[in-house]
Amino acid sequence: SGVLFFLISVFRIREYIINAIPKNLKLAISAGVGLFLGIIALEQAKIVVAHPQTLVTLGDLEQWPAVLCLLGFVLIVAMTYRRIVGGILIGVLLVSVMGVPLGLAQYSGVVALPPSLSPTLLQLDFSRMFELTFLIVIFSFLIIDVFDNAGTLIGVAHRAGLLDENGNLPRMKQALIADSFAAMFGALIGTSTTTSYIESAAGASAGGRTGLTAAFVAMFFLLALFFSPLAGMVPAYASAAALLYVACVMTQGLAEIAWDDITEYAPAVVAAVTMPLTYSIATGIGLGFITYAIAKIIAGKFAEAKPAVVAVAVLFAIKFAVAG
């Protein structure tokens, strides 16, 4: 999957697909990524929990994780309004420290050696490579990789103000190649897909706009391997406060959608809403493409149903039919 991901990035197929996404769908993807972050944050803090009748419901707000998450969230919002540098990090650390006497953050040391890679390094199995089920899995992984990362790239770049007036990202090819190389490298060492993640929006919201930001983050992640007990002290509710703040920031994309054309905003809303509800960026993009293409064709707006849009819609329809 990573190799195919790399090839379609090198030959600009993936760039062509991303640039073919209509501008209003791109704005909806940015907002949908924000909504996705929001439901992840609320779930981590147990503010939203599962329910057999209604799928989700309100959790117990008397529990400390929910209270501290909401406290961290309002602290981050207030510090951001006051332009306090590092407001997100300060809010996360403050509520983490508050959780220590409550038993919510456990101290387990400061330094530890990273675990060995030998159990998963280069543990590849090609014995079923040409079976139909294997090919379906590869196809599914590729579609998810391509469009999950497309959504993440669009969402984070939009938040950082890096998209041009047409909603396209300059020098996209370099970003896509880096993404696909990470997918291959991660697979070789035995991790889940190591491509771009929506949590990167937190860095963009804090002001990170260049590759230097990512380089320093990578450096500190390497250092964190040796300080994993200390890093592990930060509880889920604390990081959830930061995610909830970023969710609010990213949903601003909805305000920029063209609300005067229902064939534009209806598919955009479908894309944005289904991302958190299906727990998948790729699924939201797929449903957005399908509804956009069909709505444009039935409405007689054939010029706006561009071949690339229709092709991607058909591809997603096949994916949903074959792989679910």
mmCIF file of all heavy atoms in Angstrom, residues 156-193:
data_model
loop_
_atom_site.group_PDB
_atom_site.id
_atom_site.type_symbol
_atom_site.label_atom_id
_atom_site.label_comp_id
_atom_site.label_asym_id
_atom_site.label_seq_id
_atom_site.Cartn_x
_atom_site.Cartn_y
_atom_site.Cartn_z
ATOM 1 N N VAL A 156 -5.016 20.923 7.716
ATOM 2 C CA VAL A 156 -3.910 21.580 8.414
ATOM 3 C C VAL A 156 -3.392 22.766 7.600
ATOM 4 O O VAL A 156 -3.097 23.838 8.156
ATOM 5 C CB VAL A 156 -2.775 20.581 8.709
ATOM 6 C CG1 VAL A 156 -1.576 21.282 9.332
ATOM 7 C CG2 VAL A 156 -3.271 19.485 9.651
ATOM 8 N N ALA A 157 -3.268 22.589 6.277
ATOM 9 C CA ALA A 157 -2.780 23.677 5.421
ATOM 10 C C ALA A 157 -3.756 24.847 5.422
ATOM 11 O O ALA A 157 -3.345 26.013 5.431
ATOM 12 C CB ALA A 157 -2.561 23.178 4.002
ATOM 13 N N HIS A 158 -5.045 24.553 5.437
ATOM 14 C CA HIS A 158 -6.045 25.624 5.501
ATOM 15 C C HIS A 158 -5.935 26.375 6.818
ATOM 16 O O HIS A 158 -5.991 27.605 6.867
ATOM 17 C CB HIS A 158 -7.454 25.045 5.349
ATOM 18 C CG HIS A 158 -8.551 26.059 5.475
ATOM 19 N ND1 HIS A 158 -9.335 26.167 6.599
ATOM 20 C CD2 HIS A 158 -8.976 27.039 4.629
ATOM 21 C CE1 HIS A 158 -10.205 27.151 6.440
ATOM 22 N NE2 HIS A 158 -10.003 27.693 5.253
ATOM 23 N N ARG A 159 -5.750 25.629 7.914
ATOM 24 C CA ARG A 159 -5.622 26.261 9.226
ATOM 25 C C ARG A 159 -4.374 27.143 9.289
ATOM 26 O O ARG A 159 -4.384 28.206 9.916
ATOM 27 C CB ARG A 159 -5.545 25.175 10.307
ATOM 28 C CG ARG A 159 -5.428 25.628 11.716
ATOM 29 C CD ARG A 159 -6.590 26.475 12.159
ATOM 30 N NE ARG A 159 -6.186 27.839 12.442
ATOM 31 C CZ ARG A 159 -6.930 28.900 12.236
ATOM 32 N NH1 ARG A 159 -8.116 28.792 11.711
ATOM 33 N NH2 ARG A 159 -6.498 30.092 12.552
ATOM 34 N N ALA A 160 -3.314 26.715 8.606
ATOM 35 C CA ALA A 160 -2.059 27.471 8.611
ATOM 36 C C ALA A 160 -2.047 28.599 7.585
ATOM 37 O O ALA A 160 -1.086 29.360 7.511
ATOM 38 C CB ALA A 160 -0.887 26.533 8.347
ATOM 39 N N GLY A 161 -3.112 28.707 6.782
ATOM 40 C CA GLY A 161 -3.182 29.755 5.769
ATOM 41 C C GLY A 161 -2.259 29.520 4.592
ATOM 42 O O GLY A 161 -1.783 30.478 3.969
ATOM 43 N N LEU A 162 -2.021 28.253 4.248
ATOM 44 C CA LEU A 162 -1.068 27.931 3.185
ATOM 45 C C LEU A 162 -1.734 27.627 1.846
ATOM 46 O O LEU A 162 -1.046 27.430 0.841
ATOM 47 C CB LEU A 162 -0.209 26.727 3.606
ATOM 48 C CG LEU A 162 0.645 26.927 4.862
ATOM 49 C CD1 LEU A 162 1.358 25.634 5.232
ATOM 50 C CD2 LEU A 162 1.652 28.053 4.646
ATOM 51 N N LEU A 163 -3.064 27.562 1.803
ATOM 52 C CA LEU A 163 -3.753 27.284 0.547
ATOM 53 C C LEU A 163 -3.872 28.569 -0.275
ATOM 54 O O LEU A 163 -4.026 29.660 0.275
ATOM 55 C CB LEU A 163 -5.147 26.712 0.811
ATOM 56 C CG LEU A 163 -5.214 25.392 1.602
ATOM 57 C CD1 LEU A 163 -6.667 24.950 1.745
ATOM 58 C CD2 LEU A 163 -4.395 24.300 0.930
ATOM 59 N N ASP A 164 -3.819 28.429 -1.613
ATOM 60 C CA ASP A 164 -3.966 29.606 -2.465
ATOM 61 C C ASP A 164 -5.449 29.964 -2.635
ATOM 62 O O ASP A 164 -6.322 29.357 -2.013
ATOM 63 C CB ASP A 164 -3.272 29.399 -3.817
ATOM 64 C CG ASP A 164 -3.867 28.244 -4.621
ATOM 65 O OD1 ASP A 164 -5.029 27.857 -4.362
ATOM 66 O OD2 ASP A 164 -3.177 27.731 -5.521
ATOM 67 N N GLU A 165 -5.730 30.924 -3.508
ATOM 68 C CA GLU A 165 -7.111 31.393 -3.661
ATOM 69 C C GLU A 165 -8.047 30.330 -4.216
ATOM 70 O O GLU A 165 -9.267 30.415 -4.067
ATOM 71 C CB GLU A 165 -7.159 32.649 -4.561
ATOM 72 C CG GLU A 165 -6.722 32.436 -6.002
ATOM 73 C CD GLU A 165 -5.204 32.508 -6.171
ATOM 74 O OE1 GLU A 165 -4.487 32.612 -5.150
ATOM 75 O OE2 GLU A 165 -4.736 32.443 -7.325
ATOM 76 N N ASN A 166 -7.501 29.316 -4.887
ATOM 77 C CA ASN A 166 -8.313 28.222 -5.426
ATOM 78 C C ASN A 166 -8.405 27.029 -4.480
ATOM 79 O O ASN A 166 -8.967 25.999 -4.824
ATOM 80 C CB ASN A 166 -7.735 27.762 -6.767
ATOM 81 C CG ASN A 166 -7.765 28.854 -7.809
ATOM 82 O OD1 ASN A 166 -8.762 29.558 -7.944
ATOM 83 N ND2 ASN A 166 -6.673 29.016 -8.547
ATOM 84 N N GLY A 167 -7.822 27.182 -3.307
ATOM 85 C CA GLY A 167 -7.858 26.096 -2.334
ATOM 86 C C GLY A 167 -6.807 25.033 -2.571
ATOM 87 O O GLY A 167 -6.895 23.943 -2.013
ATOM 88 N N ASN A 168 -5.795 25.333 -3.403
ATOM 89 C CA ASN A 168 -4.731 24.376 -3.689
ATOM 90 C C ASN A 168 -3.487 24.690 -2.854
ATOM 91 O O ASN A 168 -3.273 25.823 -2.440
ATOM 92 C CB ASN A 168 -4.368 24.398 -5.177
ATOM 93 C CG ASN A 168 -5.525 23.963 -6.049
ATOM 94 O OD1 ASN A 168 -6.322 23.109 -5.650
ATOM 95 N ND2 ASN A 168 -5.634 24.535 -7.240
ATOM 96 N N LEU A 169 -2.672 23.665 -2.633
ATOM 97 C CA LEU A 169 -1.463 23.813 -1.826
ATOM 98 C C LEU A 169 -0.239 23.856 -2.740
ATOM 99 O O LEU A 169 0.058 22.875 -3.419
ATOM 100 C CB LEU A 169 -1.337 22.650 -0.834
ATOM 101 C CG LEU A 169 -0.084 22.648 0.053
ATOM 102 C CD1 LEU A 169 -0.098 23.860 0.979
ATOM 103 C CD2 LEU A 169 -0.018 21.362 0.874
ATOM 104 N N PRO A 170 0.494 24.967 -2.763
ATOM 105 C CA PRO A 170 1.735 25.018 -3.561
ATOM 106 C C PRO A 170 2.741 23.981 -3.053
ATOM 107 O O PRO A 170 2.767 23.657 -1.871
ATOM 108 C CB PRO A 170 2.234 26.443 -3.323
ATOM 109 C CG PRO A 170 1.028 27.224 -2.890
ATOM 110 C CD PRO A 170 0.182 26.241 -2.126
ATOM 111 N N ARG A 171 3.560 23.458 -3.940
ATOM 112 C CA ARG A 171 4.606 22.467 -3.615
ATOM 113 C C ARG A 171 4.012 21.229 -2.930
ATOM 114 O O ARG A 171 4.597 20.652 -2.025
ATOM 115 C CB ARG A 171 5.677 23.101 -2.725
ATOM 116 C CG ARG A 171 6.391 24.285 -3.358
ATOM 117 C CD ARG A 171 7.461 24.852 -2.459
ATOM 118 N NE ARG A 171 8.526 23.870 -2.258
ATOM 119 C CZ ARG A 171 9.240 23.783 -1.148
ATOM 120 N NH1 ARG A 171 8.988 24.568 -0.127
ATOM 121 N NH2 ARG A 171 10.198 22.892 -1.039
ATOM 122 N N MET A 172 2.833 20.852 -3.416
ATOM 123 C CA MET A 172 2.160 19.717 -2.806
ATOM 124 C C MET A 172 2.918 18.408 -3.016
ATOM 125 O O MET A 172 2.913 17.526 -2.152
ATOM 126 C CB MET A 172 0.746 19.576 -3.373
ATOM 127 C CG MET A 172 -0.100 18.507 -2.671
ATOM 128 S SD MET A 172 -1.668 18.245 -3.498
ATOM 129 C CE MET A 172 -2.422 19.839 -3.300
ATOM 130 N N LYS A 173 3.592 18.284 -4.159
ATOM 131 C CA LYS A 173 4.263 17.026 -4.489
ATOM 132 C C LYS A 173 5.260 16.640 -3.403
ATOM 133 O O LYS A 173 5.341 15.475 -3.012
ATOM 134 C CB LYS A 173 4.976 17.137 -5.844
ATOM 135 C CG LYS A 173 5.657 15.833 -6.261
ATOM 136 C CD LYS A 173 6.312 15.967 -7.624
ATOM 137 C CE LYS A 173 7.020 14.668 -8.016
ATOM 138 N NZ LYS A 173 7.673 14.769 -9.331
ATOM 139 N N GLN A 174 6.025 17.602 -2.906
ATOM 140 C CA GLN A 174 7.020 17.303 -1.870
ATOM 141 C C GLN A 174 6.355 16.770 -0.605
ATOM 142 O O GLN A 174 6.830 15.820 0.021
ATOM 143 C CB GLN A 174 7.833 18.567 -1.542
ATOM 144 C CG GLN A 174 8.774 19.001 -2.654
ATOM 145 C CD GLN A 174 8.130 19.961 -3.634
ATOM 146 O OE1 GLN A 174 6.934 19.887 -3.898
ATOM 147 N NE2 GLN A 174 8.928 20.863 -4.199
ATOM 148 N N ALA A 175 5.232 17.391 -0.230
ATOM 149 C CA ALA A 175 4.510 16.944 0.968
ATOM 150 C C ALA A 175 3.980 15.528 0.783
ATOM 151 O O ALA A 175 4.046 14.696 1.701
ATOM 152 C CB ALA A 175 3.364 17.906 1.271
ATOM 153 N N LEU A 176 3.472 15.220 -0.407
ATOM 154 C CA LEU A 176 2.892 13.906 -0.664
ATOM 155 C C LEU A 176 3.968 12.820 -0.686
ATOM 156 O O LEU A 176 3.740 11.700 -0.212
ATOM 157 C CB LEU A 176 2.134 13.921 -1.995
ATOM 158 C CG LEU A 176 0.965 14.915 -2.083
ATOM 159 C CD1 LEU A 176 0.278 14.811 -3.427
ATOM 160 C CD2 LEU A 176 -0.032 14.669 -0.962
ATOM 161 N N ILE A 177 5.130 13.128 -1.251
ATOM 162 C CA ILE A 177 6.226 12.151 -1.273
ATOM 163 C C ILE A 177 6.710 11.861 0.144
ATOM 164 O O ILE A 177 6.977 10.712 0.508
ATOM 165 C CB ILE A 177 7.385 12.644 -2.175
ATOM 166 C CG1 ILE A 177 6.950 12.613 -3.643
ATOM 167 C CG2 ILE A 177 8.632 11.792 -1.971
ATOM 168 C CD1 ILE A 177 7.966 13.186 -4.608
ATOM 169 N N ALA A 178 6.813 12.908 0.961
ATOM 170 C CA ALA A 178 7.209 12.708 2.367
ATOM 171 C C ALA A 178 6.197 11.813 3.078
ATOM 172 O O ALA A 178 6.566 10.904 3.838
ATOM 173 C CB ALA A 178 7.320 14.055 3.070
ATOM 174 N N ASP A 179 4.918 12.071 2.828
ATOM 175 C CA ASP A 179 3.843 11.259 3.403
ATOM 176 C C ASP A 179 3.981 9.787 3.031
ATOM 177 O O ASP A 179 3.927 8.895 3.877
ATOM 178 C CB ASP A 179 2.499 11.761 2.851
ATOM 179 C CG ASP A 179 1.636 12.357 3.939
ATOM 180 O OD1 ASP A 179 2.038 12.323 5.116
ATOM 181 O OD2 ASP A 179 0.555 12.856 3.612
ATOM 182 N N SER A 180 4.137 9.538 1.732
ATOM 183 C CA SER A 180 4.169 8.163 1.243
ATOM 184 C C SER A 180 5.428 7.434 1.693
ATOM 185 O O SER A 180 5.402 6.227 1.971
ATOM 186 C CB SER A 180 4.062 8.139 -0.288
ATOM 187 O OG SER A 180 5.064 8.929 -0.877
ATOM 188 N N PHE A 181 6.557 8.155 1.769
ATOM 189 C CA PHE A 181 7.789 7.530 2.260
ATOM 190 C C PHE A 181 7.617 7.100 3.713
ATOM 191 O O PHE A 181 8.066 6.024 4.116
ATOM 192 C CB PHE A 181 8.963 8.499 2.132
ATOM 193 C CG PHE A 181 10.253 7.948 2.684
ATOM 194 C CD1 PHE A 181 11.007 7.042 1.944
ATOM 195 C CD2 PHE A 181 10.698 8.301 3.948
ATOM 196 C CE1 PHE A 181 12.196 6.521 2.458
ATOM 197 C CE2 PHE A 181 11.867 7.794 4.471
ATOM 198 C CZ PHE A 181 12.617 6.896 3.724
ATOM 199 N N ALA A 182 6.953 7.947 4.501
ATOM 200 C CA ALA A 182 6.700 7.600 5.903
ATOM 201 C C ALA A 182 5.838 6.345 6.010
ATOM 202 O O ALA A 182 6.048 5.515 6.895
ATOM 203 C CB ALA A 182 6.023 8.773 6.611
ATOM 204 N N ALA A 183 4.868 6.197 5.103
ATOM 205 C CA ALA A 183 4.013 5.005 5.119
ATOM 206 C C ALA A 183 4.839 3.745 4.871
ATOM 207 O O ALA A 183 4.655 2.719 5.545
ATOM 208 C CB ALA A 183 2.918 5.137 4.056
ATOM 209 N N MET A 184 5.753 3.808 3.908
ATOM 210 C CA MET A 184 6.600 2.641 3.621
ATOM 211 C C MET A 184 7.550 2.348 4.771
ATOM 212 O O MET A 184 7.711 1.203 5.186
ATOM 213 C CB MET A 184 7.403 2.883 2.336
ATOM 214 C CG MET A 184 6.578 2.882 1.070
ATOM 215 S SD MET A 184 7.618 2.900 -0.425
ATOM 216 C CE MET A 184 8.357 4.533 -0.306
ATOM 217 N N PHE A 185 8.183 3.388 5.287
ATOM 218 C CA PHE A 185 9.167 3.209 6.360
ATOM 219 C C PHE A 185 8.497 2.653 7.618
ATOM 220 O O PHE A 185 9.018 1.742 8.273
ATOM 221 C CB PHE A 185 9.842 4.549 6.664
ATOM 222 C CG PHE A 185 10.925 4.449 7.700
ATOM 223 C CD1 PHE A 185 12.170 3.936 7.372
ATOM 224 C CD2 PHE A 185 10.699 4.858 9.003
ATOM 225 C CE1 PHE A 185 13.178 3.836 8.318
ATOM 226 C CE2 PHE A 185 11.693 4.763 9.956
ATOM 227 C CZ PHE A 185 12.943 4.252 9.622
ATOM 228 N N GLY A 186 7.326 3.195 7.930
ATOM 229 C CA GLY A 186 6.605 2.703 9.105
ATOM 230 C C GLY A 186 6.248 1.232 8.981
ATOM 231 O O GLY A 186 6.338 0.473 9.954
ATOM 232 N N ALA A 187 5.834 0.825 7.774
ATOM 233 C CA ALA A 187 5.483 -0.577 7.566
ATOM 234 C C ALA A 187 6.687 -1.489 7.750
ATOM 235 O O ALA A 187 6.579 -2.582 8.312
ATOM 236 C CB ALA A 187 4.903 -0.754 6.158
ATOM 237 N N LEU A 188 7.859 -1.050 7.294
ATOM 238 C CA LEU A 188 9.064 -1.868 7.395
ATOM 239 C C LEU A 188 9.502 -2.089 8.845
ATOM 240 O O LEU A 188 10.059 -3.125 9.183
ATOM 241 C CB LEU A 188 10.205 -1.235 6.595
ATOM 242 C CG LEU A 188 10.023 -1.223 5.077
ATOM 243 C CD1 LEU A 188 11.172 -0.479 4.407
ATOM 244 C CD2 LEU A 188 9.935 -2.649 4.528
ATOM 245 N N ILE A 189 9.251 -1.086 9.693
ATOM 246 C CA ILE A 189 9.645 -1.273 11.097
ATOM 247 C C ILE A 189 8.501 -1.813 11.946
ATOM 248 O O ILE A 189 8.666 -2.062 13.135
ATOM 249 C CB ILE A 189 10.195 0.029 11.728
ATOM 250 C CG1 ILE A 189 9.124 1.114 11.784
ATOM 251 C CG2 ILE A 189 11.418 0.512 10.976
ATOM 252 C CD1 ILE A 189 9.585 2.363 12.523
ATOM 253 N N GLY A 190 7.322 -2.010 11.330
ATOM 254 C CA GLY A 190 6.247 -2.720 12.008
ATOM 255 C C GLY A 190 5.245 -1.872 12.746
ATOM 256 O O GLY A 190 4.547 -2.359 13.636
ATOM 257 N N THR A 191 5.129 -0.583 12.380
ATOM 258 C CA THR A 191 4.130 0.260 13.037
ATOM 259 C C THR A 191 2.890 0.394 12.154
ATOM 260 O O THR A 191 2.886 -0.010 10.992
ATOM 261 C CB THR A 191 4.664 1.678 13.301
ATOM 262 O OG1 THR A 191 4.749 2.376 12.053
ATOM 263 C CG2 THR A 191 6.027 1.633 13.941
ATOM 264 N N SER A 192 1.833 0.986 12.731
ATOM 265 C CA SER A 192 0.694 1.347 11.897
ATOM 266 C C SER A 192 1.132 2.484 10.969
ATOM 267 O O SER A 192 2.203 3.050 11.135
ATOM 268 C CB SER A 192 -0.478 1.789 12.775
ATOM 269 O OG SER A 192 -0.073 2.839 13.632
ATOM 270 N N THR A 193 0.274 2.820 10.002
ATOM 271 C CA THR A 193 0.658 3.771 8.954
ATOM 272 C C THR A 193 1.147 5.090 9.541
ATOM 273 O O THR A 193 0.426 5.769 10.261
ATOM 274 C CB THR A 193 -0.536 4.036 8.019
ATOM 275 O OG1 THR A 193 -1.012 2.785 7.535
ATOM 276 C CG2 THR A 193 -0.121 4.886 6.842
#
